[in-house]
């Protein structure tokens, strides 16, 4: 599985909100950020790509309890609609070339995926670890169906992130780590990290199978779990002072997180008015608000992605021309 960099002419991002690490990667390559598909009113420019990601979305189809209705299948359908409509408009008026990708770009562009976190995170609130893991074949079958539909629509370059160490998020530790026996090193919830590793192993198998089925595709698998776990374990080596405490939260050490008060909120607790306040220096923290990583942490992650140290392809050149991009990302946890 190898990404041919000279073919990188466009990008498309799929699943939850755009990965913050990917934002920094785009910035490092001196490329413009992608306009979201759902912000098509007015005159957005999609010539360089399109972002189909939405916050809180999942791979599995959404239900009444879902945070976002825009699950992966919906995002893929939006892409297919986007491509069909773009080609229709280009055929009607060449002036649209200023705003839309040309037909050959859809085959040469990069399709980026960062998903699965929300499916697993949400499942742990109602299922046992064994039940969560048992659901992975169904989740990955949905993902496989989506990327096959994209392949049928002309996609050839696939960039797939595995999921990070869910058990190391302050929210997860505060909720599921009250019993010390449930924690591993570095004080993360063992069940969530075990599940993440099982999911990642099955995701890698799927990517390998997909590559074998479609030899003309270029599938790149990026080990986000290892990047983030190394950062959390060796945080002081990279200039951080806090690996698990939230920068913006309430409660103080060791997690500075309280499920009752989100970052920026002010509430009355036990007769006192309290606020989930930000720290003085975000660069000292790996985690921002109990769920997401700080700007400094995401910059580290993006540097590792661009260097190619945790992927199965050559280091990504910051001089690579990028004309369009599709991103499918569930970055609620990024």
């Amino acid at each position: 599985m190898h990404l041919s960099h000279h073919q990188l002419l466009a990008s498309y991002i799929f699943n939850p909100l755009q990965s913050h690490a990917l934002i920094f990667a785009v910035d490092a390559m001196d490329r413009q950020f992608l306009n979201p598909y759902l912000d098509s009113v007015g005159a957005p420019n999609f010539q360089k790509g399109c972002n189909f990601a939405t916050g809180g979305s999942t791979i599995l189809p959404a239900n009444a309890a879902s945070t976002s209705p825009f699950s992966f299948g919906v995002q893929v359908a939006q892409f297919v609609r986007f491509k069909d409509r773009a080609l229709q408009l280009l055929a009607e008026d060449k002036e649209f070339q200023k705003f839309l990708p040309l037909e050959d770009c859809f085959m040469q562009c990069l399709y980026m995926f960062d998903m699965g976190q929300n499916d697993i995170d949400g499942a742990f609130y109602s299922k046992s670890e064994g039940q969560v893991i048992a659901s992975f074949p169904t989740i990955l079958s949905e993902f496989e169906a989506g990327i096959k539909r994209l392949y049928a629509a002309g996609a050839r370059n696939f960039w797939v992130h595995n999921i990070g160490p869910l058990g190391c998020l302050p929210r997860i530790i505060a909720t599921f780590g009250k019993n010390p026996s449930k924690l591993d090193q570095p004080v993360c919830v063992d069940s969530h990290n075990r599940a993440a590793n099982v999911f990642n192993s099955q995701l890698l198998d799927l990517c390998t199978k997909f590559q074998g089925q479609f030899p003309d595709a270029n599938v790149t698998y990026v080990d986000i779990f290892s990047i983030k776990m190394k950062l959390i374990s060796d945080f002081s080596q990279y200039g951080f002072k806090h690996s698990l405490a939230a920068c913006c939260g309430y409660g103080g050490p060791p997690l500075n997180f309280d499920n009752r008060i989100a970052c920026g909120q002010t509430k009355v607790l036990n007769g006192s008015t309290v606020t989930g306040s930000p720290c003085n220096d975000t660069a000292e923290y790996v985690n921002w608000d109990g769920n997401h990583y700080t700007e400094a942490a995401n910059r580290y992650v993006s540097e590792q992605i661009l260097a190619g140290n945790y992927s199965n392809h050559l280091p990504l050149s910051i001089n690579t021309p990028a004309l369009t991009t599709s991103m499918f990302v569930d970055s609620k946890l990024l």
Side-chain angles (χ1 to χ4, degrees):
M1 291 179 285
H2 170 75
L3 176 64
S4 179
H5 298 133
H6 69 276
Q7 292 181 334
L8 185 67
L9 299 181
S11 316
Y12 297 89
I13 304 177
F14 298 79
N15 219 7
L17 194 60
Q18 181 171 341
S19 163
H20 295 81
L22 289 175
I23 290 177
F24 284 112
V26 171
D27 182 52
M29 291 188 291
D30 195 26
R31 308 300 178 196
Q32 67 181 48
F33 297 148
L34 302 180
N35 285 311
Y37 174 79
L38 294 176
D39 188 21
S40 298
V41 177
N45 193 321
F46 295 116
Q47 189 182 47
K48 306 295 184 181
C50 186
N51 184 357
F52 295 88
T54 61
S57 59
T58 55
I59 294 177
L60 291 177
N63 55 41
S66 297
T67 302
S68 169
F70 301 103
S71 59
F72 182 48
V74 173
Q75 293 178 28
V76 172
Q78 289 174 335
F79 167 79
V80 173
R81 167 63 178 167
F82 170 81
K83 179 185 177 183
D84 290 345
R85 182 61 174 154
L87 297 182
Q88 178 185 352
L89 291 172
L90 288 169
E92 294 174 357
D93 190 341
K94 293 188 181 299
E95 282 295 309
F96 284 111
Q97 292 181 12
K98 300 177 182 178
F99 308 100
L100 299 171
L102 300 179
E103 183 170 9
D104 60 350
C105 285
F106 287 100
M107 180 172 291
Q108 299 179 57
C109 69
L110 179 65
Y111 294 76
M112 307 173 77
F113 308 84
D114 190 310
M115 50 193 14
Q117 298 96 303
N118 291 334
D119 295 86
I120 299 171
D121 179 17
F124 264 107
Y125 283 91
S126 60
K127 297 179 180 179
S128 67
E129 179 183 346
Q131 291 172 323
V132 171
I133 291 175
S135 71
F136 291 170
T138 301
I139 296 173
L140 290 170
S141 177
E142 186 76 17
F143 178 66
E144 182 179 22
I147 60 175
K148 283 185 174 178
R149 186 177 182 190
L150 291 170
Y151 178 89
R156 291 297 182 270
N157 299 308
F158 300 85
W159 183 279
V160 182
H161 286 186
N162 70 13
I163 66 173
L166 302 180
C168 297
L169 295 173
R171 173 176 56 81
I172 299 298
I173 299 172
T175 305
F176 297 93
K178 297 175 182 178
N179 184 342
S181 67
K182 303 293 184 182
L183 301 175
D184 62 8
Q185 294 300 322
V187 198
C188 300
V189 179
D190 201 18
S191 58
H192 286 63
N193 282 353
R194 278 197 303 265
N197 277 314
V198 172
F199 180 87
N200 290 340
S201 177
Q202 293 182 18
L203 176 62
L204 177 58
D205 289 343
L206 187 158
C207 291
T208 303
K209 183 181 75 170
F210 184 86
Q211 180 72 84
Q213 290 177 327
F214 304 101
D216 61 332
N218 300 298
V219 183
T220 299
Y221 175 91
V222 183
D223 188 4
I224 297 296
F225 185 99
S226 293
I227 295 175
K228 291 184 174 179
M229 183 55 78
K230 181 171 179 57
L231 173 60
I232 292 168
S233 300
D234 303 329
F235 64 96
S236 61
Q237 295 182 23
Y238 305 108
F240 295 90
K241 295 183 179 180
H242 308 277
S243 61
L244 297 177
C247 166
C248 186
Y250 173 77
L255 297 176
N256 193 38
F257 181 84
D258 190 313
N259 277 304
R260 298 169 297 176
I261 305 175
C263 172
Q265 280 190 330
T266 297
K267 288 186 177 181
V268 176
L269 290 182
N270 302 321
S272 299
T273 301
V274 296
T275 300
S277 303
C279 58
N280 292 325
D281 188 354
T282 61
E284 295 180 350
Y285 288 75
V286 170
N287 193 278
W288 165 241
D289 61 355
N291 295 298
H292 306 88
Y293 287 69
T294 60
E295 181 174 313
N298 277 308
R299 188 173 296 280
Y300 166 84
V301 173
S302 69
E303 289 170 352
Q304 302 309 305
I305 294 172
L306 289 171
N309 296 331
Y310 292 87
S311 62
N312 52 9
H313 68 88
L314 298 175
L316 184 61
S317 169
I318 63 173
N319 295 317
T320 299
L323 300 184
T324 58
T325 304
S326 300
M327 301 178 75
F328 300 72
V329 185
D330 67 0
S331 65
K332 166 187 167 186
L333 303 178
L334 295 170

